[in-house]
Amino acid sequence: MQRLNNKLGLFSALPMLSILAIAFFAPLLVVAIFSSMPPKVFTLTHIPDFSAYSVFFQQGFYRSLLWSLGAAFISTVILLVVCWPLAFGMAKIFKSFTLVLTIAVVMSLFVSENIRLFGWVLTLMKGGLIEGHMRAWLGIGFDSPLYGVPVIVFGLVYAYLPFMLFPLAQGIATVPDDARQAAADLGASRWQIFAQIDVPLAAPGIVVGCLLCFVLSAGAVAESKILGGQAIITITDDIETAFTFGQDWPLGSALSVIFIAIVSVFALLAISVVDLDKIMGRKR
Amino acid sequence: MTSEPLLRLQGVMKRYGDFTALHNIDLDIQEGEFFTIVGPSGSGKSTMIRLIVGMDEVTDGSIWLRGKRIDETPANLRPTCMVFQSLALFPHMSVGQNIEFPLKLRKIAHNQRRARALELLELLRLPPNCYAKRISQCSGGEQQRVALARALAFDPEILLFDEPLSSLDYRLRKTLEKELKDLHHRTGKTFVYITHSLEEAMVMSDRIAIMHNGRFEQIAVADEIYSRPVSRFVAEFMGEVNLFDVEYRDSVLTSSDLTIRPNNAAKADPADGKGQLMVRPEDVRFGKDTNDFDYVLFGQLMDEYILGSRIQYEVRTAAGKLVTVEKPREDRTQYEIGSEVILGFKATNTHFIPAD
């Protein structure tokens, strides 16, 4: 029976497996092979020389990689801090208001990210919604916060808020109320309950949220382009340039492989510390 | 009692919106007492202990512990501790970490904490190798004991229990009831226990309070509640009971349900009025002659139930009332089902409950 179940399981997974193989694994493989090709070739039939990887170090592409990872790290930390109280409210305090909030946050995703970011440009630019009104009504003008690193981080926080909020709320919802009450009864203060009960028990949600936000913002390009005015060049930007203007597919592929490898290490580390089943299926 | 009570509730009231969960509760609990609150679900017993430990706020009234008012104190600063119905063990901690949790909060040194935890494991008859176990690896009974050990590690002035045994099977429950009683003796702590099981209450308690609709119906020792309930609710709650509508007029008892032998019926204690006469099934006897009893019933034997060591009979009286009779197994009667029987009981075995 167990063996039959296993067979049936594999059988039912086949459609998904074949889609993954064709649409996900195959392109990755092509990219990986391309990254080993000599510079500026467009076929996979050359002798691999891995020269694109040495370009990564020679031409300072590691700088854009560090910017991407750095901005992603900072925005993930900010998101965690900003979303915790809201997620806590959604999971434990607001009752029907949670649904209103959920709908409101999800609705923002209905509008394309680029359009929303241009909305922020109009809001924040010199002579835009805020500065323009301030100048017209109060006579106080100030420089636009656009085109700098902080506004890029702001953009990342803004764009990826739902991806932190929902996993976090889900994680906090799995913290049993009676465990929190018991901790208080045994003498724990609010902070002690937070540190010793909430955080460890909501850990799967925290890890999933952080992972999503980190991976997404590390690969983000629109925020630095639209809000940042390319104040920093992200690694995604470099990859895009290599494939388009640069016409150097092996270089673009090599950058992609390095980026994917680094992000995968983070992802695997994160997944290894939490029991995903617990948050998805409430396994106990 | 002259000594100051350990815990005093004064006019405690709890409302949730329009619903009043507790009406004006007054209660004194003495130091070292095993006090049990029994009531059906929704009677307010859980609400009451949640108020005592501080998980909920009183709407009105005050709670005093050793003469100090505590109802304004936050839960984490009250010297009270509760064992939850769900036990509320911390699933991400080992047994040892669970027990040491309150000690760690007090910044007690690591080796002292460990020593205390092992001491408590021993007190609760858990093997020392339990210390490193995960909570999910423990059996139901072990988890129960760990929850108790954790509460004892906190060293509360008063220990409260919210039906902690209700999810266990019968045998384990019986064992733990006795252990709890024994633990109460050994620790000398004050226990307040809530349950909906009367049997549980009778086994363990010094005093029992019967709660109904947010009020105490009666607070007394088990025997008193069993033999002299103050209300119909208590009488029925305390197990199988026969109630007959009666009326005292000029200290003379009359009843349409009963045949009363006049010389024996007078019982001077109640004032005139309507009420119910209670008699427990074990005090009702079968007889050959009406002279054997003070109160007599004629009826037909309807059914016989075997309850292990006891046999229960159901008799329908001429007036159409069902009467329950209980006998030890060795006194099993020879009447056939459907036969006409004479039933009766003595005046000394009855208790008059005045109508509200």
Side-chain angles (χ1 to χ4, degrees):
Chain A
M1 194 62 204
Q2 186 60 44
R3 276 178 63 191
L4 179 68
N5 275 348
N6 286 345
K7 257 189 209 156
L8 284 175
L10 185 70
F11 206 65
S12 2
L14 261 183
M16 197 59 215
L17 278 180
S18 33
I19 290 174
L20 279 177
I22 295 164
F24 183 75
F25 188 66
L28 268 185
L29 194 67
V30 171
V31 165
I33 298 172
F34 246 121
S35 72
S36 67
M37 293 290 122
K40 306 211 172 189
V41 299
F42 297 99
T43 53
L44 294 172
T45 51
H46 301 267
I47 297 157
D49 67 352
F50 296 94
S51 57
Y53 287 96
S54 58
V55 174
F56 171 76
F57 293 102
Q58 282 158 17
Q59 296 191 7
F61 285 110
Y62 60 87
R63 246 178 275 139
S64 47
L65 181 68
L66 287 180
W67 270 120
S68 281
L69 296 178
F73 177 76
I74 292 169
S75 56
T76 303
V77 171
I78 294 174
L79 273 167
L80 188 58
V81 175
V82 169
C83 288
W84 182 275
L86 192 57
F88 191 87
M90 286 172 75
K92 297 281 183 201
I93 301 163
F94 316 145
K95 289 175 176 78
S96 51
F97 185 60
T98 298
L99 185 66
V100 178
L101 254 176
T102 306
I103 292 170
V105 172
V106 169
M107 285 246 284
S108 74
L109 295 176
F110 292 177
V111 181
S112 138
E113 190 186 329
N114 284 2
I115 293 176
R116 283 184 287 141
L117 290 176
F118 277 118
W120 277 110
V121 171
L122 291 178
T123 311
L124 297 175
M125 72 185 196
K126 200 160 174 68
L129 199 63
I130 295 175
E131 200 265 352
H133 277 102
M134 291 274 280
R135 197 144 39 97
W137 291 347
L138 306 169
I140 315 164
F142 52 84
D143 279 338
S144 159
L146 285 173
Y147 316 127
V149 177
V151 80
I152 295 175
V153 172
F154 166 79
L156 293 171
V157 168
Y158 164 74
Y160 298 118
L161 185 109
F163 300 93
M164 181 64 91
L165 185 62
F166 295 129
L168 215 52
Q170 180 76 20
I172 295 170
T174 61
V175 179
D177 286 334
D178 57 9
R180 306 186 75 251
Q181 287 171 344
D185 192 34
L186 291 164
S189 65
R190 278 163 193 261
W191 281 108
Q192 286 166 326
I193 295 173
F194 169 76
Q196 296 184 38
I197 308 294
D198 289 341
V199 170
L201 287 177
I206 296 172
V207 171
V208 169
C210 288
L211 190 60
L212 276 177
C213 289
F214 182 78
V215 171
L216 288 172
S217 31
V221 69
E223 286 76 14
S224 79
K225 274 189 170 172
I226 296 169
L227 296 179
Q230 297 199 306
I232 56 170
I233 306 292
T234 63
I235 187 70
T236 324
D237 223 349
D238 275 341
I239 294 170
E240 195 190 327
T241 312
F243 274 108
T244 54
F245 294 120
Q247 290 293 301
D248 194 346
W249 290 12
L251 176 63
S253 302
L255 294 179
S256 304
V257 168
I258 291 168
F259 180 64
I260 291 169
I262 290 176
V263 171
S264 309
V265 168
F266 281 114
L268 290 175
L269 273 179
I271 289 175
S272 69
V273 298
V274 294
D275 184 1
L276 266 184
D277 283 330
K278 204 174 159 186
I279 190 159
M280 305 306 260
R282 287 277 214 143
K283 189 177 82 177
R284 288 215 173 226
Chain B
M1 275 177 237
T2 48
S3 66
E4 184 181 76
L6 178 73
L7 184 81
R8 165 167 280 172
L9 273 67
Q10 226 164 33
V12 168
M13 166 129 33
K14 179 68 193 174
R15 265 192 230 104
Y16 296 101
D18 290 340
F19 174 68
T20 306
L22 290 175
H23 302 265
N24 223 350
I25 295 284
D26 289 315
L27 176 68
D28 280 358
I29 292 172
Q30 301 301 324
E31 176 135 34
E33 196 173 8
F34 198 130
F35 188 85
T36 302
I37 303 165
V38 196
S41 43
S43 58
K45 54 194 196 308
S46 282
T47 306
M48 197 171 98
I49 70 167
R50 290 175 64 85
L51 293 178
I52 296 172
V53 297
M55 275 168 217
D56 232 328
E57 283 170 25
V58 295
T59 309
D60 202 7
S62 54
I63 302 171
W64 306 76
L65 192 93
R66 282 197 204 286
K68 232 181 83 196
R69 192 167 170 175
I70 58 162
D71 52 285
E72 310 261 293
T73 314
N76 61 326
L77 302 178
R78 290 191 199 184
T80 55
C81 194
M82 167 165 143
V83 177
F84 286 64
Q85 184 167 16
S86 63
L87 304 181
L89 293 168
F90 306 131
H92 58 299
M93 297 182 192
S94 69
V95 167
Q97 285 169 322
N98 262 281
I99 298 173
E100 288 175 22
F101 184 80
L103 304 173
K104 205 174 148 197
L105 293 176
R106 284 178 207 157
K107 309 218 158 41
I108 289 170
H110 183 265
N111 48 356
Q112 272 175 289
R113 279 192 334 238
R114 195 188 152 87
R116 179 69 183 138
L118 290 170
E119 225 174 271
L120 286 164
L121 284 177
E122 201 190 324
L123 179 72
L124 287 151
R125 305 204 165 93
L126 283 166
N129 65 9
C130 246
Y131 183 86
K133 260 192 184 179
R134 297 208 67 81
I135 292 300
S136 53
Q137 294 170 321
C138 295
S139 69
E142 281 171 343
Q143 291 189 3
Q144 198 74 51
R145 292 182 176 99
V146 174
L148 248 160
R150 187 179 67 178
L152 287 170
F154 179 74
D155 197 23
E157 295 267 11
I158 183 164
L159 195 53
L160 301 106
F161 300 82
D162 186 2
E163 303 196 39
L165 304 181
S166 59
S167 60
L168 300 175
D169 63 71
Y170 184 81
R171 274 179 61 96
L172 187 55
R173 204 163 68 223
K174 291 287 132 202
T175 314
L176 286 171
E177 276 168 19
K178 293 202 175 107
E179 273 185 34
L180 210 56
K181 175 94 190 153
D182 181 46
L183 190 73
H184 175 245
H185 276 301
R186 282 186 290 158
T187 57
K189 289 232 175 275
T190 311
F191 284 19
V192 175
Y193 192 96
I194 53 179
T195 175
H196 57 258
S197 156
L198 186 80
E199 217 185 326
E200 212 167 281
M202 307 248 267
V203 171
M204 299 188 291
S205 327
D206 296 326
R207 276 196 303 161
I208 296 175
I210 307 280
M211 210 165 185
H212 181 45
N213 287 340
R215 288 190 178 85
F216 286 127
E217 292 269 329
Q218 188 169 10
I219 303 177
V221 297
D223 192 51
E224 167 103 12
I225 286 184
Y226 190 75
S227 57
R228 282 192 293 282
V230 295
S231 67
R232 183 181 181 147
F233 175 81
V234 177
E236 286 180 335
F237 198 76
M238 293 297 288
E240 223 42 87
V241 73
N242 296 305
L243 294 166
F244 302 98
D245 290 326
V246 293
E247 189 176 357
Y248 272 97
R249 217 175 281 147
D250 304 324
S251 292
V252 176
L253 190 67
T254 57
S255 171
S256 54
D257 288 345
L258 292 165
T259 306
I260 299 160
R261 291 168 56 79
N263 50 331
N264 296 319
K267 246 180 112 186
D269 58 272
D272 282 3
K274 288 190 178 180
Q276 276 162 325
L277 200 66
M278 179 196 94
V279 58
R280 294 281 173 195
E282 63 269 27
D283 294 325
V284 184
R285 301 272 144 79
F286 291 101
K288 293 194 173 58
D289 193 337
T290 55
N291 291 328
D292 298 347
F293 310 115
D294 299 330
Y295 301 86
V296 187
L297 292 157
F298 301 95
Q300 190 183 16
L301 184 63
M302 302 302 289
D303 229 329
E304 181 191 63
Y305 304 101
I306 296 158
L307 313 173
S309 62
R310 293 159 301 133
I311 315 278
Q312 202 179 72
Y313 301 92
E314 204 166 79
V315 176
R316 186 186 292 279
T317 65
K321 199 174 167 61
L322 280 178
V323 177
T324 311
V325 185
E326 233 174 74
K327 282 172 155 281
R329 192 182 188 86
E330 62 266 28
D331 294 348
R332 197 168 175 181
T333 38
Q334 303 305 316
Y335 297 109
E336 301 228 341
I337 289 178
S339 57
E340 298 293 328
V341 289
I342 300 170
L343 290 178
F345 42 92
K346 292 219 154 50
T348 48
N349 289 328
T350 64
H351 172 69
F352 179 72
I353 303 168
D356 307 318

